[in-house]
Amino acid sequence: MDVYYHRIEGFHGLDSIKGIERYGKRAAALCNTEDILLLDYYSEIKIPIEEIELLNTAGLGPNPENIYAVKFSSTQTWQENLANNREVIHTLEKLPLKRFMPFTAKSPIIHDLVKHLDIDYVFSSQSLAFWGEDKSTLITLGEKHGHVPKGFTCKNKDEFLEGWEKLSLQKNFTGEAVIKPFQGASGLLSTIVKTKEQVDNFVTNHELPGGGVIQEWFEFKSSPSINYWIHQQNIEELFISDQIFEDSPPLYGKEGTCIHRGNVFPSNCGDDILRKIRDYAQPIVQDFADRGYLGPIGFDAIVANDNEVWIVEANPRVTGPHYGYFAAKKKNAHAFRLSNEVIKKGTTPQELHNHLQNLFLTKNSSEGYFVYNFSNGKFTGVVLGKSRQNVDEIYDKIQKKLAEIRS
């Protein structure tokens, strides 16, 4: 019996999004029947979550009675948090808990709860999680190991402008750079710039707490992502998937960068590209392990138009494709396609199920569709199947059906 608590905390731009607490529901897709799911309370929360019946029908997710809402705050002492959640914590204290499985190790609440429950914790320390997420860390590791785009750490506008000047003086500079906050995620508070004036404008009009990085940007034809799990004694490669992006209007300070929509596994990259990804990511993930980092970690790569491979992001946490990958393992599927979807507001999970009917995954099947993180017209859907071609074909059928119930 594991405890899943995907509290999102410590990310610039992400923490401020209204309703971000509901993203903790994603962990339901990782839970086994007997596992415990903790969710941060928000005003519209439903316990059990509205999509749990569909997840259970697919043979995934926890029992409905194993889902609890909690009210933790990082501005309060542990004793205050304990008092505010006494009933839930007393329930947990009586259970044969095995492991604690968070989204990220960055939250101090996670470590307080692990210590209180005296439960096995197989993730990183808080300090290493912050170190690994820092965008300047990958730049530094790139200077050491190679194959990371050149970049500079900047604390204020003048340093961003100086960083642009340094990049523009490089031989074969692409003419574009990306600006990112130190502890950013999902492209929020990031932008692609092509002139010094654009650098000045973005940094002037968007708050980057403590600064950020400016890094050379490459046009790319694909963006594979490699995921690992670092154990005490070894580094386990989990999978390499292809990322799916979509254009999005400026939001929360994001200007001109792609928003991650989903992932497809297995990757369509050729053997030579896959070898480069593994070769380039291996010394970086080994560096994390040597410092004592434990748990999940992913590296986003890009395949530039000249077929060169660059490591562009380090994500020391549970990443989006985990929700497809671990479900596929449970269901003995050999491929998955995960994507964020939008349908008509007010549509219920049951109405969605009725609309898609036999395309949905069942307990006894390893091929089909399941959904999670359902919230007023938005959800994430995953196709499981026996091959990349198989999941792509099912996905196309689902998209035609979803088009009938979009806003």
Side-chain angles (χ1 to χ4, degrees):
M1 177 180 284
D2 295 336
V3 178
Y4 284 82
Y5 182 26
H6 281 196
R7 180 181 178 86
I8 297 177
E9 188 173 7
F11 296 91
H12 294 155
L14 209 59
D15 291 354
S16 62
I17 296 177
K18 183 179 179 181
I20 193 65
E21 299 89 351
R22 70 189 63 210
Y23 277 74
K25 294 203 301 176
R26 294 182 298 178
L30 298 176
C31 292
N32 292 313
T33 302
E34 72 278 7
D35 291 335
I36 301 296
L37 175 61
L38 301 182
L39 301 174
D40 283 314
Y41 175 83
Y42 54 93
S43 58
E44 301 89 11
I45 195 170
K46 296 179 182 179
I47 300 294
I49 55 177
E50 55 189 329
E51 64 266 38
I52 193 60
E53 183 178 349
L54 290 191
L55 273 172
N56 289 167
T57 297
L60 302 168
N63 286 324
E65 62 269 23
N66 289 358
I67 304 174
Y68 300 90
V70 291
K71 291 184 176 181
F72 289 114
S73 172
S74 295
T75 64
Q76 294 184 316
T77 67
W78 175 244
Q79 289 306 314
E80 290 172 326
N81 277 314
L82 196 60
N84 292 339
N85 298 276
R86 193 170 301 279
E87 185 176 345
V88 173
I89 290 177
H90 278 178
T91 299
L92 297 179
E93 290 171 340
K94 299 173 185 177
L95 298 174
L97 305 178
K98 183 181 178 183
R99 299 177 302 174
F100 196 97
M101 308 294 284
F103 166 68
T104 172
K106 293 169 76 171
S107 170
I109 296 298
I110 295 298
H111 299 276
D112 286 335
L113 191 52
V114 165
K115 183 177 179 181
H116 180 85
L117 295 174
D118 191 24
I119 186 174
D120 189 19
Y121 175 75
V122 294
F123 277 52
S124 166
S125 67
Q126 186 181 7
S127 60
L128 273 175
F130 272 96
W131 171 82
E133 288 276 7
D134 194 311
K135 303 305 179 189
S136 66
T137 292
L138 185 60
I139 291 176
T140 300
L141 294 179
E143 292 171 351
K144 180 180 178 182
H145 302 295
H147 309 292
V148 173
K150 181 71 175 178
F152 299 96
T153 299
C154 309
K155 296 180 180 178
N156 53 51
K157 183 169 73 171
D158 287 342
E159 292 187 1
F160 276 108
L161 294 172
E162 290 172 10
W164 169 263
E165 293 288 355
K166 291 177 183 177
L167 287 176
S168 63
L169 292 174
Q170 283 193 131
K171 185 179 180 181
N172 298 322
F173 175 51
T174 62
E176 294 183 283
V178 60
I179 295 175
K180 307 174 187 177
F182 286 128
Q183 298 287 331
S186 298
L188 297 176
L189 288 175
S190 300
T191 191
I192 297 170
V193 291
K194 299 181 180 181
T195 66
K196 184 176 181 179
E197 289 71 27
Q198 289 179 351
V199 176
D200 192 330
N201 181 63
F202 184 80
V203 178
T204 299
N205 293 294
H206 297 91
E207 183 182 358
L208 302 176
V213 301
I214 185 167
Q215 196 172 13
E216 186 170 15
W217 177 263
F218 293 84
E219 293 292 331
F220 61 91
K221 53 188 178 182
S222 65
S223 181
S225 175
I226 186 167
N227 276 264
Y228 301 91
W229 199 288
I230 302 179
H231 304 279
Q232 288 281 1
Q233 303 298 328
N234 69 297
I235 299 171
E236 178 187 5
E237 181 188 317
L238 300 180
F239 60 94
I240 299 177
S241 63
D242 291 333
Q243 297 192 93
I244 306 168
F245 296 102
E246 66 180 357
D247 293 331
S248 179
L251 192 64
Y252 305 112
K254 183 208 77 67
E255 300 273 357
T257 51
C258 297
I259 287 294
H260 174 260
R261 183 179 178 182
N263 290 73
V264 193
F265 168 84
S267 170
N268 267 347
C269 290
D271 290 342
D272 182 57
I273 296 297
L274 294 176
R275 177 188 57 77
K276 286 183 178 180
I277 294 168
R278 291 186 170 100
D279 287 350
Y280 298 169
Q282 196 282 327
I284 298 176
V285 73
Q286 185 64 57
D287 210 311
F288 272 80
D290 291 344
R291 294 168 190 265
Y293 180 89
L294 294 171
I297 183 168
F299 297 97
D300 296 340
I302 59 170
V303 182
N305 293 333
D306 62 357
N307 275 341
E308 185 53 270
V309 172
W310 299 93
I311 307 296
V312 295
E313 290 280 347
N315 302 304
R317 50 184 151 87
V318 173
T319 61
H322 277 88
Y323 304 98
Y325 171 75
F326 284 106
K329 284 195 69 175
K330 290 178 186 177
K331 303 293 289 184
N332 294 316
H334 298 293
F336 70 83
R337 179 163 185 149
L338 176 151
S339 63
N340 299 320
E341 303 291 353
V342 177
I343 54 174
K344 187 176 181 180
K345 288 185 177 181
T347 304
T348 67
Q350 191 57 51
E351 288 171 339
L352 177 63
H353 184 271
N354 292 341
H355 188 72
L356 297 179
Q357 296 180 356
N358 61 351
L359 292 171
F360 263 88
L361 188 69
T362 64
K363 285 184 179 179
N364 297 321
S365 67
S366 59
E367 181 182 306
Y369 195 53
F370 74 89
V371 301
Y372 65 100
N373 198 31
F374 200 97
S375 179
N376 196 22
K378 295 182 179 180
F379 64 92
T380 304
V382 180
V383 181
L384 301 184
K386 55 181 176 287
S387 68
R388 172 72 181 252
Q389 181 180 351
N390 179 221
V391 296
D392 286 346
E393 289 173 351
I394 297 173
Y395 175 80
D396 288 342
K397 293 179 183 178
I398 289 169
Q399 290 304 304
K400 290 177 182 177
K401 297 289 290 184
L402 290 180
E404 300 170 1
I405 54 173
R406 297 197 195 278
S407 301

